[in-house]
Amino acid sequence: MGTVVRSELTAPLPSSAAAEQPRQRRIGLRHTVQPEIILKGDPATAPAVFSAWKYNPPKSRQTVIISELSAVLPGDTLLVVAHHGQPTYFGLCSATREWNAESAGVVRAVLTPAPGSA
């Protein structure tokens, strides 16, 4: 688990003309995560999490809303579950990768239920 300490574009914003096409409004972001709780493995193998967001130029005639995208911002805390040597993506309301029984067990051992919630 870690805190997002930096978010940056993976490519320049689209030009005003290109951004008039709604399909060109999706942008990529790279989030640097500072490890706080290490459940397993070496955090250096997953130093960043990638996500997508929308871009609406200030002078555009229309606003695009992509409701399935979740915002990731500096200060957010993420549970990062990654494969060694592969990019980690923050997706649509899902874990960064599918969990196996071992991953779920490690998380349950560290993040116990709140008192009275079981």
Side-chain angles (χ1 to χ4, degrees):
M1 292 182 63
T3 302
V4 176
V5 294
R6 180 180 170 92
S7 297
E8 57 193 347
L9 295 169
T10 57
L13 291 174
S15 68
S16 295
E20 284 305 316
Q21 301 298 317
R23 290 184 180 142
Q24 300 298 319
R25 302 259 182 116
R26 191 173 177 129
I27 58 170
L29 298 165
R30 179 184 191 276
H31 309 282
T32 304
V33 178
Q34 174 66 45
E36 302 291 336
I37 299 172
I38 300 168
L39 302 174
K40 177 181 164 185
D42 180 4
T45 63
V49 173
F50 296 89
S51 72
W53 194 239
K54 62 177 177 345
Y55 170 66
N56 285 303
K59 295 183 180 182
S60 178
R61 292 185 296 268
Q62 61 179 335
T63 300
V64 172
I65 298 172
I66 305 173
S67 59
E68 297 87 9
L69 295 179
S70 298
V72 178
L73 303 169
D76 288 351
T77 300
L78 300 177
L79 171 61
V80 179
V81 180
H83 283 291
H84 176 73
Q86 295 180 4
T88 304
Y89 294 95
F90 182 84
L92 308 173
C93 305
S94 65
T96 50
R97 73 167 172 89
E98 282 195 40
W99 287 39
N100 59 25
E102 181 185 6
S103 296
V106 170
V107 171
R108 269 192 233 101
V110 174
L111 304 176
T112 57
S117 66

